[in-house]
Amino acid sequence: MNDFITPFQKAHLKEYKAVLNAIREYKKIAIFRHIHPDFDALGSAYGLKEWIHANFMDKDIKVLGDNHDDLTPRLYPKTNTVPNSWFMEPFLAIILDTPNKRRIADPRYVHAEFTIKIDHHPFIEGIGDIELINHQVTSTAELLVDMLLSYKMKLSQKAARYFYTGIVGDSGRFEYTPTNSHTFEIADHLVSTGFDLNEVYRAMYLREQNDLTVISYILSHYQLSKHGVAYFVLTKKELAKFHITTNQGKDHVNLFHYVNGIHIWCAITEDLKEKCFRVSLRSETIDISKVASKWRGGGHKNASGAKLTSLSELDDFINDLDQLIR
Ligand code: AMP
């Protein structure tokens, strides 16, 4: 496997070298990712932390950002509070899986002496001294592992397991575009470290019986627009009734994948903290990202997020999606 060379390792050679130099140079490294973290944001962050730790024992590495109400600490460690004084000395900031400043989960990246952004979202704005961006990969984890393998250094089983959750999460278990032979090659390197695949999938996807009750509710209450947008709404009333969080509600969005006649599907779930309705949007082929941007969000061509300030906006929002299908 030592002669493993990918097209991205050639294309990004300059950035890959610069990232390694920066990691070598700084004793203090802070890893940032986006708010409302998912498998890829958390898997990338903790995988990178473990990789740096295994190869450079003397580094002081912090992972920053809000905790997830379900995934931490079940699958990833809880983030510790880091005092402001830590950011007073020069440090390297590595921002993962986040295309814009607004969605970085801790604002203290601004104090960094040197900043690197590593991301697979479409470019929104420059944040880093190095911008390593590639949307031909399923996930930030896939891109990171491609880079780390090029260094031919130690990849521990623990780091590999974290990265694997990132790839599996964002690729929908190796299903969504652009999953391809590169994704499987990277996954092969990770799985070869020997972690227990069954244990990983169980940790990622174990459901409660209560989830079946929620699914039953969604399947009997979802709406279908004229041209094929399926959507369901979970207000604070339903969230309380089923004892679930906003994240747990929106995670059911893919119930409507692979249904004939449904071209776009979305979960619309009330968020009491942000006083809005968070929307998870998905499609098979239609580019939904522009409509997501119009409605206070963004994301990828076939997987985006948006926000409605109230349900009075719902009809206009669904109408915008309907127009995409027409
Ligand atoms: P989600 O539906 O929350 O799983 O998000 C799907 C994709 O859209 C992810 O790549 C997110 O990073 C992105 N996304 C979700 N919400 C927003 C938002 N409010 N603004 C920009 N991107 C978002």
Side-chain angles (χ1 to χ4, degrees), residues 35-293:
I35 50 170
H36 304 308
D38 51 14
F39 291 124
D40 192 27
L42 292 165
S44 293
Y46 284 104
L48 181 60
K49 181 186 176 184
E50 287 302 326
W51 184 89
I52 299 173
H53 182 68
N55 289 286
F56 302 93
M57 299 290 269
D58 61 330
K59 305 285 182 189
D60 177 5
I61 313 160
K62 304 287 186 218
V63 175
L64 284 307
D66 51 331
N67 280 300
H68 188 281
D69 48 20
D70 184 31
L71 299 180
T72 50
R74 192 164 58 83
L75 201 57
Y76 309 101
K78 270 187 174 287
T79 41
N80 295 318
T81 314
V82 181
N84 285 337
S85 56
W86 190 92
F87 299 87
M88 302 293 200
E89 287 172 29
F91 71 94
L92 166 67
I94 304 181
I95 298 168
L96 300 176
D97 201 35
T98 317
N100 52 347
K101 295 175 184 169
R102 186 170 57 84
R103 280 180 50 85
I104 301 174
D106 188 310
R108 292 175 293 180
Y109 71 90
V110 295
H111 303 303
E113 189 173 82
F114 196 79
T115 303
I116 297 169
K117 177 168 91 177
I118 302 176
D119 190 24
H120 75 124
H121 291 88
F123 178 85
I124 294 184
E125 62 182 329
I127 308 174
D129 299 286
I130 300 171
E131 296 265 323
L132 172 53
I133 296 162
N134 182 333
H135 4 106
Q136 290 169 275
V137 288
T138 57
S139 50
T140 296
E142 183 181 335
L143 176 59
L144 266 176
V145 176
D146 185 83
M147 178 184 78
L148 300 177
L149 289 175
S150 76
Y151 302 152
K152 309 209 184 308
M153 295 165 83
K154 225 183 291 169
L155 176 67
S156 70
Q157 189 179 104
K158 196 170 173 188
R161 180 181 176 280
Y162 282 136
F163 286 131
Y164 190 78
T165 63
I167 296 174
V168 168
D170 255 26
S171 71
R173 302 185 223 185
F174 302 101
E175 180 186 327
Y176 308 145
T177 308
T179 301
N180 57 26
S181 59
H182 179 267
T183 321
F184 285 105
E185 272 186 288
I186 294 291
D188 180 29
H189 278 266
L190 298 175
V191 174
S192 299
T193 63
F195 57 80
D196 182 341
L197 268 182
N198 285 330
E199 181 275 323
V200 170
Y201 284 111
R202 191 175 164 79
M204 290 180 75
Y205 295 114
L206 186 72
R207 294 188 296 185
E208 302 298 329
Q209 288 179 25
N210 184 45
D211 289 319
L212 302 183
T213 314
V214 180
I215 290 168
S216 154
Y217 175 86
I218 292 169
L219 292 180
S220 47
H221 288 82
Y222 78 91
Q223 306 282 320
L224 187 61
S225 75
K226 194 168 159 200
H227 296 292
V229 181
Y231 59 100
F232 63 90
V233 179
L234 296 172
T235 67
K236 63 182 175 196
K237 192 173 134 218
E238 286 82 49
L239 296 178
K241 180 174 156 197
F242 298 123
H243 306 287
I244 54 169
T245 63
T246 306
N247 280 326
Q248 287 167 330
K250 83 179 186 59
D251 280 350
H252 294 295
V253 64
N254 273 326
L255 280 172
F256 300 93
H257 197 179
Y258 297 130
V259 181
N260 218 348
I262 295 181
H263 306 291
I264 296 176
W265 52 102
C266 30
I268 297 153
T269 316
E270 192 159 5
D271 186 330
L272 288 179
K273 248 194 254 160
E274 296 192 10
K275 295 191 177 33
C276 69
F277 284 79
R278 281 194 12 229
V279 184
S280 268
L281 262 172
R282 304 289 186 266
S283 73
E284 188 80 54
T285 52
I286 295 166
D287 186 350
I288 47 179
S289 61
K290 286 193 185 67
V291 170
S293 302

